[in-house]
Structure formats: C-alpha cells, structure tokens
Amino acid sequence: MKLAIIGTGYVGLPTGVGFAELGNDVVCVDKIANKIERLNSGELTLFEDGLEDLFRKNVQSGKIRFTLDMQSAVRGADVVMLAVGTPPHPITKEADLQYIYAAAKELAQYLDGYTVVATKSTVPVGTGDEIEKIIREVNHDADFDVVSIPEFLREGFAIHDFFNPDRIVIGTNSERAKEVMLKLYAPFVDKFPLLIVKRRSSETIKYASNAFLAMKIHYINEMADFCEKSGADVLEVAKGMGMDTRIGKKFLNPGPGYGGSCFPKDTNAMAQMGRKYGSPLSLIETTIAKNDERKAKMGQRVIETIKSHPEGKIAVLGLAFKGGTDDCRESPAIDIIKEMVKYSHNVCVFDPKAMENARLILGDSVKYATSIEDACGNADVMVILTEWEDFKHIDLIKIKQKMNRAKIVDLRNMLDADTAVKAGFEYRGVGTNRQ
Ligand code: UGA
C-alpha cells in the first residue's frame, strides 16, 4: 500500500521503517530540511535500538523515502498517518494540537481518491472529530475517513514493539476505513490481538493506558518509601506482587520517578480532560503531584551524601529518561541533576548515548565525562540515574580505587547491594534497606 507519514520523530520514523519493511511504499514528510537530507542519504537522526539496519535497508531499496513536499507524499496515498508532536501546553498542560491541526489543514488540499487519515499521535478524545472538520473545510469534495490508531511503542524497543504488539487498536465507525486498515495490518491479524472500537474510545485507550502505567510506577515508588521505613525490601515485595497475574510483574521497578516525552505529558493531558468533562481523575492527579515531588526528594538524597564535604565531586551515571535511548525529554535524571547543581559546583555526568541531548539542557552547569571511569575519578559519590545495562557490570573494586570516597546512591537498583557493600561502598538503593 502507499503510505504518507507526517512527522519523522520517535513515532513516525520507526513506524515508517516498520511499514516499509512489511512491503509498503512509504514517504515520510517533515518540515526540517536538514533532517530530510540526512535521512535520504541514509543517516539516522535519532538513536533507536535495532532501527539502523532496517532503516538503511529500506532506504537503499527505495521502500522508504523522505521529503519536505507534503503534496508529493499525500497524492495517491492510501493512508496518511499523522505522527507529529502533541507537546504539553506550557501553561494549561493540555496537549497542544497546533501541529496536528496545521498538518491536517495542509494535507487536506492534496487528498485525491479515497484516503484514510490515521492519527498515530497521542491526541485528546474528540480530536478526530476536529481533524475531520478541518479537512472538510479546506477540501469540500475530499473522499476520506479519519481513524485513530494509537501507538504503543516504547522508546528503545520501538522496532521490537512494532513487530510484536500487545494489541493493535483501530478507532473508526466507517466500514470502508476498517477495510483499508485491516489490509494495512494484514501481516499482524492472525498473530496479535486487534481491537476495533469507536474513535473516541481508541483516543481514550492510549491515555488511559499510559496513565495507568504511570500510576503503577508511582505505586511501587511509594511502596519503596514504605519499605525503607518499615524494614521490608521493595524488590522482594515487587517480585511477590508480580507473581499474581492480575497485577503482573512489569512496571514494578522503583526508581527516581517516571519521565520521558509520554508519561508526564499524557498524565497531565488526561487529568486536564477529566477536569474538562467534569469527571475528575483523582488517582492520576495524585500520581502527577507525587512524581514531581519524588524527583526533588531524590535530589536531596544525593545532596545528603556530600553535605559534610560540599566541594565533593558527584559522579552521575545516566542522563536519558530510561535506558536504551538518547532521549532526555522530561528525564528524571535531568531534574535531579538540576537539584544537585543548586548545592554543588562539582557535578560530572556520563551517559552512553545521551550526552549531546543532555548538554543542550544542562549547558555549563555540569562537567561532561567521556566514560564511567572518567566520571568517577576522584568522585565522592557515584549516583546511578538511568537503567543502562553497562552500569550493572561496573567493576566496583576497580572503580573504588579511583574514587575519593566510597559512596553509591543507586536510584535504579542497578547494582547488587551485597556486592557493593562487600567492595567497601556505603550503598543506598531505592526501597531496599541494604546499605
Ligand atoms: C511509554 C509507554 O510504555 C508506551 O507503551 C507508549 O507507546 C509510549 O509511552 C508513548 O506514549 O509513546 P516510553 O515513554 O518509551 O513508553 O517509556 P517507558 O518504557 O514506558 O518508561 C517511561 C518511564 O517510566 C521511564 O522514565 C522509566 O524509567 C520509568 N519506569 C518504567 C520506571 O520508573 N519503573 C518501571 O517499572 C517502568
């Protein structure tokens, strides 16, 4: 099938490459000339595990191409997917829909023949109706349907998740659009659950899912605090809870709070929708407030370790909002570092992938190391903020010799507490009471 994908970010690009790999002809549109040039020459513009090989292969075979020209992409397309950002409005925290509405307005002029306009971006309930109205206003004669197909890709696992979805959700009341979407998703149909629902339900499923996962994280984080006070071990508690299939073992890892471009944005937008419809979502409201508080609290936890020697060096390992990505948007690590630099001029940071993105936010407020060893040299405390696999394998005996003081604050429980203590470290994890 012929697909046009508007937006080449963390959603549009993996989605485009995935559909190209399945044999479709994909054209991706973006507004940034330099990005389009790089992508067409086979250079990836973001880091996503497993994407590079598939991307190159499909660029070389011509199954995917990139353009600034909306018209050439949309003309003749069977499906036009909207995968542009819906960032939070700086004041109201509602999803800012200006980019998606602008894209809808622009693409409307070029629709020819029956086209399904499918929204992949995360959009508030009712946005499909608005998009439909906008397209109709611009192009009275257009033959189209607007469908909601929320994406459930996790950053860092986008390619894995694209080819192995837990479910595919299609929101439409139109039989014609349903046929087109079933053709597009035919390679998945007998292998994975596919749910066809009302468009408004589909829009809500995405927010309700992300908010639920954020709540689950908040829950285990509070449980971690409780374990620290009560003498239990949250890792054991999470294991025991997760064995109940009704609860499930995923998303029960305590940490510094959730972050990223999705959970903070989507919980806020969902809470805002609850207020708008006069149906308050109190669990989500609490989750948001407590997650914000947590980052400040975790910053304080680090500062405590150098209070007696304020000039001491803090070595930070991890900047991305989670492991497996270079993305620092709404990263708890960044917020926690901002807390640290209020007290310390000696914060040195390292991340295997996210240095460039972090530098754009943190600027000169911290020093940038070239490796774990470089960051930890003469440090008074090592702080782990992102769950990178590399950090699990740090040679603690070797690294201790390079450090000034042997202290670890492990906000991702990456290290084995007993090994750290045996190596002579004063160790503090999250909710584990092993120190
Ligand atoms: C999330 C959802 O998991 C995807 O299903 C969804 O498609 C995506 O948002 C989106 O809306 O586009 P993502 O933002 O990539 O994916 O990240 P997650 O893996 O869900 O992690 C989010 C945050 O929660 C990270 O900061 C992570 O470290 C934290 N987390 C996750 C925990 O603190 N504990 C856990 O047990 C799990």
Side-chain angles (χ1 to χ4, degrees):
M1 294 174 82
K2 288 193 166 169
L3 307 188
I5 298 187
I6 321 295
T8 59
Y10 286 93
V11 174
L13 198 51
T15 304
V17 169
F19 278 117
E21 177 66 15
L22 291 173
N24 299 286
D25 289 309
V26 179
V27 186
C28 294
V29 188
D30 206 289
K31 293 242 174 266
I32 306 167
N34 170 266
K35 206 170 171 190
I36 293 298
E37 216 170 280
R38 284 167 64 195
L39 288 166
N40 271 328
S41 67
E43 188 193 336
L44 256 190
T45 46
L46 52 85
F47 171 75
E48 183 59 61
D49 210 26
L51 179 62
E52 191 151 4
D53 289 348
L54 278 191
F55 163 75
R56 290 236 173 87
K57 179 180 154 203
N58 285 284
V59 170
Q60 270 160 21
S61 69
K63 288 306 263 181
I64 189 165
R65 66 183 179 83
F66 302 88
T67 181
L68 289 166
D69 178 20
M70 178 81 88
Q71 179 169 359
S72 69
V74 171
R75 287 250 188 259
D78 300 297
V79 180
V80 180
M81 281 187 200
L82 291 163
V84 298
T86 51
H89 187 279
I91 296 157
T92 64
K93 303 273 171 87
E94 277 174 294
D96 183 348
L97 298 174
Q98 62 168 313
Y99 306 106
I100 204 151
Y101 289 159
K105 207 167 174 181
E106 193 181 347
L107 73 86
Q109 315 162 56
Y110 309 122
L111 293 175
D112 58 347
Y114 178 68
T115 313
V116 173
V117 177
T119 309
K120 266 243 162 269
S121 310
T122 301
V123 293
V125 63
T127 303
D129 303 3
E130 277 308 308
I131 294 174
E132 207 169 279
K133 245 194 257 163
I134 290 171
I135 295 177
R136 181 69 60 220
E137 271 165 22
V138 174
N139 187 344
H140 305 284
D141 306 322
D143 188 11
F144 71 102
D145 277 304
V146 176
V147 163
S148 158
I149 41 164
E151 62 86 14
F152 301 104
L153 309 178
R154 291 164 301 162
E155 271 185 47
F157 298 90
I159 290 298
H160 171 272
D161 290 353
F162 179 89
F163 288 105
N164 303 279
D166 279 348
R167 77 302 208 185
I168 292 159
V169 176
I170 299 173
T172 181
N173 292 333
S174 151
E175 278 305 313
R176 212 167 159 203
K178 194 170 118 185
E179 290 302 307
V180 174
M181 296 321 280
L182 287 177
K183 194 171 162 199
L184 179 64
Y185 281 101
F188 297 92
V189 166
D190 292 327
K191 296 187 201 139
F192 303 99
L194 190 142
L195 181 68
I196 299 179
V197 292
K198 276 162 74 169
R199 193 166 62 201
R200 283 185 174 232
S201 304
S202 172
E203 289 166 341
T204 306
I205 285 170
K206 173 60 197 267
Y207 280 110
S209 302
N210 271 4
F212 187 86
L213 291 170
M215 261 170 25
K216 200 172 175 189
I217 297 167
H218 162 58
Y219 184 84
I220 202 65
N221 283 341
E222 254 187 3
M223 221 29 88
D225 291 347
F226 174 78
C227 287
E228 285 179 6
K229 295 255 162 79
S230 66
D233 181 329
V234 75
L235 298 179
E236 292 173 353
V237 172
K239 197 169 180 184
M241 285 171 62
M243 284 173 173
D244 185 327
T245 50
R246 292 169 305 173
I247 296 173
K249 62 183 182 197
K250 293 181 181 165
F251 278 69
L252 285 180
N253 297 318
Y258 61 78
S261 65
C262 305
F263 285 180
K265 163 177 85 73
D266 295 348
T267 44
N268 271 303
M270 184 82 230
Q272 177 60 29
M273 275 190 272
R275 280 176 237 135
K276 177 177 162 189
Y277 286 96
S279 183
L281 298 160
S282 61
L283 290 175
I284 300 176
E285 300 274 10
T286 305
T287 297
I288 296 166
K290 292 290 174 188
N291 194 62
D292 286 344
E293 261 175 39
R294 184 165 188 82
K295 292 180 278 185
K297 231 164 88 179
M298 293 297 121
Q300 285 305 321
R301 181 173 286 198
V302 176
I303 290 155
E304 305 255 290
T305 64
I306 56 147
K307 271 237 161 102
S308 58
H309 38 279
E311 292 308 312
K313 175 178 173 185
I314 304 176
V316 171
L317 304 183
L319 299 164
F321 81 96
K322 65 173 187 177
T325 175
D326 63 350
D327 195 346
C328 289
R329 286 176 294 172
E330 298 276 340
S331 171
I334 301 288
D335 286 340
I336 292 170
I337 292 167
K338 284 184 179 166
E339 280 297 310
M340 291 179 205
V341 298
K342 286 186 200 160
Y343 292 86
S344 167
H345 299 295
N346 204 356
V347 179
C348 183
V349 304
F350 175 73
D351 187 287
K353 293 280 177 211
M355 297 297 271
E356 254 178 68
N357 285 339
R359 200 187 288 268
L360 295 175
I361 310 169
L362 294 170
D364 295 337
S365 63
V366 297
K367 298 183 190 85
Y368 297 88
T370 51
S371 62
I372 296 173
E373 291 72 26
D374 186 24
C376 292
N378 293 320
D380 291 83
V381 57
M382 173 204 294
V383 184
I384 300 180
L385 292 181
T386 307
E387 66 273 42
W388 281 105
E389 205 46 36
D390 293 6
F391 301 158
K392 256 193 194 155
H393 310 294
I394 295 173
D395 184 335
L396 291 175
I397 294 178
K398 236 163 120 188
I399 211 91
K400 184 173 165 254
Q401 286 162 5
K402 292 185 183 281
M403 291 176 67
N404 205 16
R405 283 187 170 78
K407 291 187 182 191
I408 296 176
V409 178
D410 181 1
L411 295 181
R412 295 286 189 172
N413 290 336
M414 290 302 283
L415 301 175
D416 179 61
D418 295 337
T419 312
V421 171
K422 257 192 218 141
F425 279 94
E426 199 180 293
Y427 176 86
R428 179 138 194 217
V430 182
T432 59
N433 279 304
R434 295 187 209 166
Q435 36 191 297

